Amino acid sequence: GLVRAAIFVVVIVATVLPCTLRNLVAGRHPTLISANGGLNFYIGNNPDYDRNVYLPPGYAFEELYDEPRRIAGVSSFVDRDRYWYGKAFAFILAHPGQEVFLLLKKLGLYLADYEIGRNTDTSFAKETSIFKSVPFVPAWFILAAGMSGMVVALRQRRAASLAALGALLALPCLIFFVTDRYRLPSMGVWAVFAGFFVITIARAIGKRAWRTVVVAMAGAAGLAIVSNANLFVMRNPAYRPHLVLGFVYEAQGKIDRALQEYSTALRLVQSLQPRDIKAEAEILCRRGNAQMTAGHLEEARRDFEQAAAVDPSSGPAYSYLGSLFA
């Protein structure tokens, strides 16, 4: 046991230590892996979780990211990290009930049978993917059968280490936030347990051990219901893929296609209830910038002025207007 523990520690230290030493040299502070830990911890533990967890790269995220400098006057990565951890723990201590509900919500999202994006939209991408017709094993089966298989294995005093690994791999989703890039590493463990579950059921049927079959199937069915219920459905807004596509086309110099995507995104965001003025102003600014690039200066001016009218605190709208008039 001690030998295995020592090997484990050596591998972890060899993996993490170079990163920590590099951070110590570059940032003059022993930051273990990344100075984004505080921001990610706050994104997953704050009163406005539903909005902050899906902020895409852009003006709204930049405004959030710049908060430590604006509010606390700090600029170093270390001080920013401390600022976000402090703000998150202040929320947790002041609203323990809300934090408990948020943890339960994240557990429900972890078990949900749909792709949980962040600033990408996997559902939108799959519509045009070569894999759109591939019959993948659904997440609800892997989660439901896998966790039921884990319980069966533990009752038989088997695979405790594998169960612990699955729990540790799932833990970041609860500590920080739920997104598929955090959830995916643990799915391999549940897939192994799902295979064990299927084999156990098949053997129990062969032995006519109906009580084992009924209890195991009932547990899996309950988890499958929770997974498919999607209690806290959180999908990317319909406008976001078009906003991102517009940005990509603009970067590629395909201004006409960029303008089409921005206009589609604007139409979709304006249909939202309640109104998302930050997103609407950002799309107007993006479209206005594309108009300015294409030489449509009057159309660009109208977009920038409309953005400023929609969100009077939109710094980019005034900045773009200044560039236009210059």
Side-chain angles (χ1 to χ4, degrees):
L2 289 175
V3 172
R4 290 181 178 181
I7 293 172
F8 178 80
V9 170
V10 167
V11 171
I12 294 299
V13 170
T15 306
V16 174
L17 186 60
C19 188
T20 308
L21 291 176
R22 191 268 173 194
N23 288 338
L24 183 61
V25 172
R28 298 181 181 179
H29 187 274
T31 303
L32 190 65
I33 297 174
S34 168
N36 273 348
L39 177 57
N40 285 335
F41 186 69
Y42 175 76
I43 287 174
N45 299 276
N46 73 89
D48 200 11
Y49 176 89
D50 289 7
R51 176 179 181 272
N52 290 331
V53 77
Y54 288 147
L55 279 179
Y59 306 136
F61 181 79
E62 289 165 10
E63 184 179 21
L64 176 69
Y65 183 79
D66 193 47
E67 183 180 312
R69 183 194 62 80
R70 295 196 326 271
I71 304 300
V74 299
S75 57
S76 73
F77 286 118
V78 174
D79 290 334
R80 284 172 174 269
D81 203 39
R82 290 171 177 162
Y83 173 88
W84 290 119
Y85 274 120
K87 188 171 182 179
F89 281 116
F91 161 73
I92 292 170
L93 293 174
H95 306 281
Q98 199 170 343
E99 174 66 13
V100 169
F101 174 77
L102 188 53
L103 290 172
L104 292 173
K105 179 176 185 174
K106 286 189 280 189
L107 178 60
L109 288 168
Y110 177 84
L111 295 172
D113 180 44
Y114 61 90
E115 298 297 320
I116 303 168
R118 180 148 157 69
N119 48 34
T120 55
D121 192 325
T122 48
S123 299
F124 182 86
K126 190 179 179 184
E127 292 173 7
T128 56
S129 169
I130 62 173
F131 300 108
K132 64 181 178 182
S133 300
V134 175
F136 290 113
V137 177
W140 67 262
F141 178 83
I142 295 175
L143 288 162
M147 291 188 178
S148 298
M150 178 186 67
V151 172
V152 172
L154 291 176
R155 285 177 62 87
Q156 297 178 4
R157 299 184 183 278
R158 300 174 65 181
S161 297
L162 187 62
L165 176 62
L168 285 171
L169 289 172
L171 194 58
C173 290
L174 301 183
I175 295 176
F176 294 94
F177 50 82
V178 184
T179 185
D180 274 343
R181 68 171 180 253
Y182 290 169
R183 186 167 68 161
L184 186 61
S186 61
M187 295 298 282
V189 175
W190 307 135
V192 172
F193 277 119
F196 176 76
F197 175 80
V198 171
I199 291 171
T200 301
I201 293 296
R203 288 175 176 171
I205 292 174
K207 295 178 181 178
R208 300 183 181 276
W210 302 118
R211 183 175 181 276
T212 300
V213 173
V214 170
V215 172
M217 292 295 289
L223 284 167
I225 291 170
V226 172
S227 182
N228 283 279
N230 293 341
L231 301 174
F232 306 106
V233 174
M234 296 177 66
R235 301 189 187 279
N236 275 322
Y239 72 84
R240 189 165 293 164
H242 298 283
L243 171 60
V244 175
L245 276 173
F247 186 76
V248 171
Y249 284 137
E250 187 179 349
Q252 292 176 340
K254 301 174 182 178
I255 302 302
D256 289 342
R257 298 189 70 174
L259 289 171
Q260 290 175 6
E261 295 295 341
Y262 286 142
S263 297
T264 300
L266 185 63
R267 174 175 54 80
L268 291 170
V269 79
Q270 287 175 338
S271 66
L272 292 177
Q273 292 296 333
R275 190 176 181 185
D276 189 341
I277 61 171
K278 293 287 185 184
E280 187 175 344
E282 177 169 2
I283 295 169
L284 284 164
C285 285
R286 295 288 189 192
R287 190 175 73 171
N289 185 57
Q291 297 277 23
M292 191 162 59
T293 301
H296 308 152
L297 301 186
E298 187 60 26
E299 291 86 345
R301 182 185 63 80
R302 283 200 293 267
D303 278 344
F304 297 146
E305 288 181 345
Q306 186 179 347
V310 167
D311 180 15
S313 66
S314 173
Y318 300 108
S319 179
Y320 277 129
L321 271 173
S323 299
L324 177 69
F325 290 139

